[in-house]
Amino acid sequence: MTQAITKQLRHMGLLASTAIAITTMPAGIASAQVADQANEPAARGGAADIVVTAQKREQRLNDVGLAVTAIGGEALQNRQIASLTDIASAVPGLVFSNSASNTPVYTLRGVGFNDTTLGSYPDVSVYLDEAPLPFPVMTKLVGFDLDRLEVLKGPQGTLFGNNATGGAINFIAAKPTKTFEAGGTVSYGRFNAIDGEAYVSGPISDTLGVRISGKATHSDDWQKSYTTDAKTGGSENYAGRIILAWEPTDRLRVNLNVNGWLEKGKPPALQLIGIRNAGPGNPVTGYPLAPENARSADFSTNIDPYLDNSMWQAIGRIDYDLTDDISVTSLTSYVDYKQKMAFDGDGTTLNNADFRFFGGGIKSFSQELRIANGGNNPFRYILGLNYSDDRAKDRSELDYRDSTINTGTAAFGGIFRSGFRANQNMKNYAAFANAEYDVGDLTFKGGIRYTKSKREANSCFFGIAAEGSNLPFAPLYTFFANLLRSQNGLSPITVTPEQTLGCLTIDNTGLLGADPTFLPGQFVGKLNEDNVSWRAGIDYKPRPGILLYANVAKGYKAGSFPSVAASTTQQSQPVRQESLQSYEAGFKLSLIDRTLQANGAIFYYDYRNRQIRSKLLDPNFGPLDVLVNVPKSNVKGLELELTANPADWFSAYANFTYLDAKVKRYTGLNPETLAVGQNFDGAALPYTPKYQISTGFSVDFPVSDNLNGFGGADLNYRSQTNAFIGASNLFEIKDYGTLDLRAGIKSQDDRWSFQVWGKNVTNSYYWDNVAFFFDTVTRWPARPATYGATLSVKFR
């Protein structure tokens, strides 16, 4: 692997030096940090003129005094950017990680929240056409038929609300066109991957337009067992969207967006990289570790791993112009997500930590009403109200018969199968205001938002009747409850076998303010919080093409209850809301006759009560999941992005991100040694590679009177990071580099194109997350090299 990384770095050095050298030439820009690796090929000066809605109103990208990355729809298609992994590779500072419940984890500039709970809000909020997809699991298959993708960096609480301490990702769907258009693409690639996408768009009447689009993908299994002949990882996904745009008058605009997706197939398998509690009493002892090959993994076939997840959303937007400058906007959204899946959690063919079922659902409603002025007014404002109501349910069934839990409870008859359920209801109320005022070359900016959050939770850990596995819970929990009760001067109890099918979580903390009972039952909790997010800044434009900005902002992420199979109520305790105060200064420069775009930013984050998923030592089951707050940490960073287009047919970019993300005060459990009370001051925050470097180029040139050739390359490198605070060795996420290539031909009128492409063409072996359950340490490997061909057609 070291040789592969060295080779990647050699390639990177060559491409990076080429791209940076290009940016010193008289050139036309293609994109930037802000800049877009946007529509390819870009007209000279095109990136500076890209229109975005990063601040909930239309602005030229280079007029936005924030760090924003915008990637145009054509670039997304040409570079085969479709998955969440692809998006993270294309956005400087963004990291994507898998998790046990199939929930995506976004970390932006070192700010993120790794939790498998369906009802956990993220640190990086995600939107489709400004309507929230409030939980990361909803976002997996929305990236198709897009006009562009916008990523806002730093706290975005004033305009985008709670839970945007790291930033916001906005998918902007392609809208109905004024004239008839239709088009589609079909791809075939490695592992018999077939990917088809199509759209039809145009007017139905003088006032009503429609756009219908859809996407379907299918691929064979790409992973295989290294001890059996079993395979997994195949996909079968479907997504669709219909958008209606109605403009009955010059002042009224009504849009309806109904979209959804269905995820089938099999989940990718984890790789066994370490064995915990090795010894004669551990059934996993001596099991062969996974080879360093992304395609080699092991999994239990008797639990039938599968995916059956779906989401649909309806977005209604009404814009009405009260005057030529003042408009009112109503934005309503409803999302319904359902999850049914099973997966192997231990990376072996044994039933050491296998989720026979992991399911649940989310229903989310949000309503925003705002008023804003526009035009060329020197004073611009937005005033608004926001309400959301989210309801999430989790349920899982775990089989651990081949584990030290089963052998360790032999005196009670052995236990090996249990279940868990959780319900969380969340309501959020907010009022916000944002304003800008131009004074000569200066623009003064300010915003504020008050948020009130209410959360109720109940959860239950229970035994499951399976080959008598429910019966041993009775003597175990009788013993454990009476041990705690005797220590607190309470009389003994007896837990019956019938009670083990109910709720077994022992109350050792007290529910809703009451004294602990040390009795098994249901956990019930409430969390009421409020906060004030704010932003202040100044932009300076000494001349056209130069923007200097400085911002100070504070954002919050709401507190949360974990969805965990809790042995005691101590494990079910919530984390408090976290806060992040950001200090940032940056520049956006269009130079050399708008042919060179240079963007940069330096920032410092003061991070308080960061929420992380950690472990506690349970007297029954050993290390179990829990949520905790890290009292104090900080992030220091630097971003630099250069983009150039020395000719209309050629563009290149080079991006560099540096992060120093450290814990300043935190004492907790070491996930490797299980030492309690370890001081982690100075430890690196998880999912924060110190260096991220990307570089690449695109070409588009005539080869005849009717044909153009096009192509490009993209090289990405990320330095080492970790999956847990203070972790090393097995819990490291090693540094890696990937190289993507593409080449093709197309008609000069863009009616059709054909390209061949490859992702990770050097077959770099890397992974994006590490986890452990009872006796195993596992990692999520990224896909190996993939390649294929794509045919696109358009009709107008």
Side-chain angles (χ1 to χ4, degrees):
M1 185 170 70
T2 302
Q3 292 178 343
I5 292 173
T6 302
K7 185 177 180 181
Q8 295 280 8
L9 288 173
R10 279 199 221 104
H11 287 309
M12 179 172 300
L14 179 60
L15 262 176
S17 60
T18 301
I20 293 173
I22 287 168
T23 62
T24 65
M25 302 177 183
I29 66 174
S31 61
Q33 160 188 16
V34 143
D36 181 41
Q37 285 118 20
N39 296 315
E40 302 177 75
R44 293 179 175 237
D49 294 325
I50 293 171
V51 175
V52 297
T53 53
Q55 299 189 100
K56 294 196 173 181
R57 62 186 180 87
E58 293 187 349
Q59 292 175 277
R60 292 172 63 253
L61 192 54
N62 260 22
D63 291 336
V64 181
L66 296 171
V68 183
T69 295
I71 307 177
E74 187 177 349
L76 294 170
Q77 187 178 78
N78 288 348
R79 291 176 56 183
Q80 301 292 317
I81 297 174
S83 69
L84 302 177
T85 302
D86 297 335
I87 292 172
S89 296
V91 176
L94 182 63
V95 173
F96 166 78
S97 306
N98 283 290
S99 72
S101 66
N102 203 32
T103 299
V105 178
Y106 303 102
T107 303
L108 186 56
R109 286 181 168 180
V111 182
F113 184 40
N114 180 22
D115 189 20
T116 59
T117 304
L118 290 183
S120 285
Y121 291 128
D123 278 312
V124 181
S125 56
V126 181
Y127 298 81
L128 175 62
D129 287 350
E130 297 185 21
L133 293 166
F135 302 96
V137 74
M138 297 174 169
T139 68
K140 290 189 290 184
L141 299 176
V142 300
F144 69 97
D145 194 34
L146 298 178
D147 179 72
R148 65 186 181 277
L149 173 72
E150 299 176 2
V151 180
L152 289 65
K153 303 175 185 180
Q156 304 297 324
T158 55
L159 286 177
F160 288 91
N162 230 12
N163 316 313
T165 46
I169 300 173
N170 203 356
F171 292 91
I172 309 297
K175 300 302 186 294
T177 51
K178 297 296 184 181
T179 59
F180 174 79
E181 289 186 16
T185 65
V186 61
S187 298
Y188 179 78
R190 191 181 184 191
F191 308 119
N192 286 323
I194 300 174
D195 187 327
E197 183 174 338
Y199 74 92
V200 177
S201 177
I204 297 177
S205 69
D206 292 341
T207 60
L208 180 64
V210 64
R211 187 180 185 101
I212 302 173
S213 58
K215 182 173 183 177
T217 61
H218 179 279
S219 68
D220 291 345
D221 298 322
W222 64 274
Q223 285 181 308
K224 54 187 177 182
S225 167
Y226 56 92
T227 63
T228 71
D229 294 328
K231 295 183 179 180
T232 192
S235 64
E236 182 182 348
N237 302 326
Y238 306 91
R241 183 184 300 131
I242 180 169
I243 298 178
L244 293 171
W246 183 44
E247 297 186 25
T249 71
D250 292 339
R251 292 191 179 275
L252 178 62
R253 298 170 298 283
V254 180
N255 285 268
L256 175 65
N257 178 334
V258 179
N259 65 89
W261 52 259
L262 175 64
E263 179 187 39
K264 294 281 192 176
K266 304 175 185 177
L270 307 183
Q271 292 185 315
L272 178 69
I273 60 172
I275 298 173
R276 304 172 60 85
N277 312 312
N282 186 348
V284 186
T285 298
Y287 199 95
L289 301 182
E292 290 193 348
N293 180 336
R295 298 192 64 190
S296 297
D298 253 357
F299 47 93
S300 303
T301 57
N302 66 326
I303 67 165
D304 187 26
Y306 71 94
L307 297 171
D308 187 7
N309 307 319
S310 63
M311 188 276 287
W312 73 270
Q313 178 185 34
I315 305 169
R317 175 167 177 160
I318 302 173
D319 292 279
Y320 183 73
D321 298 332
L322 297 174
T323 69
D324 291 341
D325 293 333
I326 301 175
S327 63
V328 175
T329 299
S330 171
L331 187 63
T332 309
S333 173
Y334 179 78
V335 192
D336 190 341
Y337 172 79
K338 292 183 173 62
Q339 177 168 297
K340 291 187 290 183
M341 58 181 287
F343 68 96
D344 185 301
D346 55 71
T348 75
T349 57
L350 304 173
N351 297 124
N352 184 269
D354 292 345
F355 288 85
R356 291 181 170 271
F357 179 77
F358 200 114
I362 306 170
K363 296 182 186 297
S364 173
F365 171 81
S366 71
Q367 173 64 53
E368 180 168 296
L369 183 65
R370 63 180 187 255
I371 184 170
N373 73 336
N376 297 317
N377 295 299
F379 178 68
R380 299 171 296 279
Y381 63 84
I382 299 176
L383 303 172
L385 300 172
N386 186 278
Y387 168 77
S388 67
D389 186 343
D390 304 319
R391 300 173 183 271
K393 296 181 179 181
D394 296 64
R395 183 182 176 92
S396 65
E397 297 180 8
L398 183 63
D399 189 331
Y400 41 95
R401 67 187 67 200
D402 300 318
S403 75
T404 53
I405 301 302
N406 189 20
T407 58
T409 58
F412 299 96
I415 60 174
F416 60 84
R417 196 167 175 190
S418 59
F420 168 75
R421 62 167 174 79
N423 301 314
Q424 296 197 52
N425 298 331
M426 298 142 277
K427 292 186 178 182
N428 300 284
Y429 310 82
F432 61 93
N434 196 78
E436 298 179 354
Y437 184 58
D438 298 332
V439 180
D441 296 332
L442 298 175
T443 299
F444 297 91
K445 307 174 296 183
I448 191 168
R449 186 185 192 103
Y450 172 77
T451 303
K452 175 70 175 178
S453 300
K454 296 182 179 181
R455 182 183 290 248
E456 298 178 351
N458 63 76
S459 60
C460 178
F461 167 67
F462 54 90
I464 293 179
E467 300 145 47
S469 68
N470 61 307
L471 300 178
F473 279 96
L476 174 67
Y477 270 79
T478 297
F479 171 80
F480 184 40
N482 286 334
L483 178 64
L484 293 174
R485 289 176 65 81
S486 65
Q487 292 173 352
N488 290 273
L490 299 175
S491 59
I493 61 158
T494 299
V495 178
T496 67
E498 291 74 22
Q499 288 176 315
T500 66
L501 300 178
C503 296
L504 287 174
T505 302
I506 293 180
D507 172 26
N508 66 343
T509 58
L511 300 179
L512 300 179
D515 293 331
T517 63
F518 304 102
L519 294 173
Q522 176 178 251
F523 170 80
V524 178
K526 292 184 178 180
L527 194 61
N528 294 325
E529 298 174 317
D530 64 352
N531 60 69
V532 177
S533 301
W534 54 268
R535 175 187 294 275
I538 185 170
D539 295 347
Y540 176 49
K541 300 176 184 176
R543 65 175 180 81
I546 295 181
L547 170 65
L548 308 177
Y549 66 89
N551 298 315
V552 181
K554 189 161 190 176
Y556 290 84
K557 178 188 179 301
S560 179
F561 290 90
S563 287
V564 290
S567 175
T568 69
T569 55
Q570 180 184 359
Q571 194 184 346
S572 300
Q573 295 306 301
V575 284
R576 302 189 303 275
Q577 64 182 354
E578 68 180 26
S579 68
L580 186 147
Q581 186 153 327
S582 165
Y583 305 86
E584 179 171 344
F587 61 85
K588 301 179 182 181
L589 309 177
S590 294
L591 306 172
I592 315 176
D593 193 25
R594 303 177 71 204
T595 62
L596 172 66
Q597 183 73 30
N599 299 277
I602 57 173
F603 52 90
Y604 174 81
Y605 292 166
D606 184 1
Y607 211 167
R608 302 298 177 99
N609 289 320
R610 172 172 178 153
Q611 302 168 4
I612 65 167
R613 197 171 181 96
S614 186
K615 300 283 183 177
L616 61 73
L617 287 181
D618 180 78
N620 279 328
F621 300 101
L624 296 179
D625 288 340
V626 67
L627 292 181
V628 300
N629 288 105
V630 176
K632 183 174 175 56
S633 54
N634 62 37
V635 181
K636 305 169 187 175
L638 165 70
E639 292 178 343
L640 178 63
E641 304 187 11
L642 302 174
T643 309
N645 186 4
D648 288 340
W649 57 271
F650 187 91
S651 64
Y653 68 91
N655 304 325
F656 173 77
T657 301
Y658 168 80
L659 292 176
D660 181 15
K662 296 288 181 61
V663 173
K664 304 305 291 183
R665 188 173 71 250
Y666 171 54
T667 300
L669 178 74
N670 187 311
E672 293 179 296
T673 65
L674 301 185
V676 179
Q678 180 168 331
N679 188 331
F680 289 104
D681 295 0
L685 293 176
Y687 312 109
T688 55
K690 182 162 286 190
Y691 304 106
Q692 296 181 60
I693 305 170
S694 60
T695 184
F697 67 89
S698 298
V699 295
D700 190 334
F701 54 91
V703 295
S704 73
D705 291 341
N706 299 315
L707 292 179
N708 271 25
F710 67 95
D714 299 284
L715 185 59
N716 291 278
Y717 170 77
R718 301 200 172 190
S719 63
Q720 176 270 339
T721 183
N722 60 68
F724 293 94
I725 288 179
S728 58
N729 301 324
L730 290 178
F731 296 96
E732 285 184 342
I733 301 173
K734 297 292 187 182
D735 62 328
Y736 67 90
T738 60
L739 175 64
D740 299 344
L741 300 173
R742 60 191 182 278
I745 58 172
K746 64 179 182 179
S747 64
Q748 289 194 346
D749 60 4
D750 275 340
R751 292 297 181 95
W752 64 268
S753 67
F754 177 80
Q755 71 165 321
V756 293
W757 49 266
K759 295 183 181 181
N760 188 16
V761 296
T762 59
N763 203 31
S764 176
Y765 170 64
Y766 66 100
W767 54 96
D768 58 40
N769 209 345
V770 180
F772 72 91
F773 285 102
F774 301 125
D775 302 314
T776 64
V777 181
T778 55
R779 66 172 55 135
W780 277 265
R783 280 187 173 241
T786 55
Y787 39 81
T790 300
L791 174 66
S792 300
V793 295
K794 295 179 182 178
F795 305 94
R796 294 174 181 168

